[in-house]
Amino acid sequence: MSDLQFDRHRRLRMTSSLRDLVRETAVKKDDLIYPVFAVEGTDTKHEVPSMPGVYQYSLDLLKKEIDDVVEHGVKAIMLFGVPGTKDELGSNAYNENGIVQRAIRELKGEHPELTIIADTCLCQYTDHGHCGVIEDGNILNDRSLSLLVKTAVSQVEAGADVIAPSNMMDGFVAAIRAGLDEANFHHTPIMSYAVKYASAYYGPFRDAAHSSPSFGDRRTYQMDPANRNEAIREAVSDDREGADFLIVKPALSYLDIVSDVKSTVNRPIVAYNVSGEYSMIKAAAAQGWLDEKETVIEKLTSMKRAGADLIVTYFAKDMARWINESDT
């Protein structure tokens, strides 16, 4: 055997400290964005049936949850609202006293250093569940843009640090950038859902946000999961129109897209670890089929390895706790 010539790669794997020394990718607390759901009412904490451990919070209890989030070291949240009433044009999305606007004001008062990213869409607020204006069963792209601009401006007026438009209307970044600039919010960044696929993984989120469409689906504005080149066209358009961050959603089944967008566009890339990805792990862990902590760490690390700079994940608080434990 002495005449064999081969490389000994295992030399750098033989001890835990050696593995730590040569580890190429790590998830940090600064990488994490925690999605939260605000609902009307008081003393309300509803667990989402399809998302164990994820809750809808009334504002009084949301503040307590965010206290815990901040204590764990998570520095950014993505805020979704579940309004008490809905209408055809989603007017509570841009109501200055809407659930998201009130939540932003209260949370910024308690935690001015917390980065609040406001999801900017209409689907939670429309009685038909679509992300734009409807006429004769069609989603009207250009008429929807003005309502999205109103929503974005109202969220920033309430104190949002970042606007995250998720509607996938053509031109939404250009319209919102122009609207924010006209309202003198030149310094407010846009975290665009630049690449958002029409995915089966969104089911639990629609349960949480009460945002399932009442007819049809969203395939005329969300992307076909089979398409790769289209993702680059979408990302390049949003970059050109003024986006400051680009989201790829979902993340786990689209790591090739995360990598493609990262190598094409010189912007921070955000991987959205969506509800279905969360719920699959929770369900398997509950059955004892896999180790939740190890699986989550591996999954989030894969997103960073693919090129994500930031990760939106329902596991953010858990991940921050595990990082804290490893540091002690």
Side-chain angles (χ1 to χ4, degrees):
M1 298 294 289
S2 61
D3 59 340
L4 291 178
Q5 299 295 318
F6 56 88
D7 295 323
R8 294 192 179 274
H9 301 289
R10 291 182 58 204
R11 287 174 181 151
L12 300 182
R13 305 176 192 153
M14 299 310 294
T15 68
S16 175
S17 60
L18 272 172
R19 293 191 294 273
D20 289 345
L21 282 173
V22 299
R23 182 164 294 125
E24 300 172 23
T25 307
V27 179
K28 308 186 300 297
K29 288 182 287 185
D30 290 347
D31 302 330
L32 303 171
I33 300 169
Y34 187 48
V36 293
F37 298 93
V39 297
E40 301 285 1
T42 57
D43 196 30
T44 300
K45 181 182 178 181
H46 291 150
E47 186 171 33
V48 180
S50 54
M51 299 180 71
V54 173
Y55 298 86
Q56 301 167 329
Y57 294 97
S58 56
L59 297 189
D60 54 328
L61 299 186
L62 179 61
K63 289 189 286 186
K64 296 177 183 178
E65 170 68 2
I66 299 307
D67 289 344
D68 193 40
V69 170
V70 171
E71 186 175 338
H72 277 76
V74 177
K75 297 179 181 179
I77 64 169
M78 183 171 283
L79 183 60
F80 298 88
V82 183
T85 61
K86 304 186 180 191
D87 58 35
E88 184 180 11
L89 297 178
S91 60
N92 273 320
Y94 41 89
N95 184 341
E96 65 177 288
N97 291 313
I99 183 63
V100 163
Q101 287 79 359
R102 294 187 347 257
I104 292 169
R105 288 194 290 268
E106 295 202 21
L107 294 178
K108 290 302 285 188
E110 296 284 334
H111 297 286
E113 77 289 353
L114 179 69
T115 296
I116 297 180
I117 304 164
D119 177 76
T120 305
C121 198
L122 302 177
C123 60
Q124 298 105 287
Y125 306 91
T126 56
D127 54 15
H128 47 73
H130 280 285
C131 303
V133 177
I134 300 293
E135 185 177 282
D136 297 328
N138 296 313
I139 296 88
L140 303 184
N141 191 96
D142 295 8
R143 281 182 57 188
S144 301
L145 296 180
S146 61
L147 299 184
L148 294 166
V149 171
K150 289 175 65 175
T151 301
V153 170
S154 72
Q155 291 169 337
V156 179
E157 288 175 339
D161 299 289
V162 181
I163 294 301
S166 59
N167 54 89
M168 287 298 285
M169 297 294 113
D170 289 337
F172 70 92
V173 172
I176 290 173
R177 182 72 272 159
L180 291 175
D181 290 350
E182 185 176 346
N184 292 318
F185 294 124
H186 305 279
H187 300 297
T188 301
I190 296 174
M191 182 180 286
S192 167
Y193 287 67
V195 180
K196 183 177 181 181
Y197 285 91
S199 173
Y201 289 105
Y202 300 154
F205 173 88
R206 292 173 184 173
D207 192 14
H210 300 171
S211 63
S212 295
S214 61
F215 68 91
D217 54 39
R218 295 178 177 144
R219 293 180 183 275
T220 67
Y221 44 106
Q222 294 179 359
M223 288 174 50
D224 185 338
N227 291 354
R228 185 172 188 170
N229 293 332
E230 183 182 10
I232 300 303
R233 296 198 297 270
E234 290 277 1
V236 168
S237 291
D238 285 10
D239 177 42
R240 184 173 59 243
E241 292 172 17
D244 300 280
F245 307 80
L246 301 179
I247 296 176
V248 176
K249 181 181 182 181
L252 193 57
S253 292
Y254 299 86
L255 295 180
D256 58 328
I257 307 302
V258 172
S259 179
D260 287 350
V261 173
K262 179 65 175 179
S263 64
T264 303
V265 181
N266 188 24
R267 298 283 182 183
I269 306 303
V270 185
Y272 201 129
N273 176 210
V274 300
S275 59
E277 297 166 355
Y278 171 89
S279 295
M280 288 191 303
I281 289 180
K282 282 291 187 179
Q287 294 295 322
W289 294 338
L290 50 75
D291 182 284
E292 180 175 326
K293 176 181 175 181
E294 289 186 2
T295 305
V296 171
I297 292 173
E298 181 178 342
K299 178 179 67 169
L300 299 185
T301 301
S302 76
M303 296 172 193
K304 287 294 300 291
R305 190 184 65 242
D309 300 286
L310 302 169
I311 303 171
V312 181
T313 178
Y314 301 94
F315 287 111
K317 193 164 65 168
D318 295 320
M319 187 67 197
R321 184 179 71 252
W322 296 328
I323 293 170
N324 291 337
E325 290 169 353
S326 69
D327 290 341
T328 58

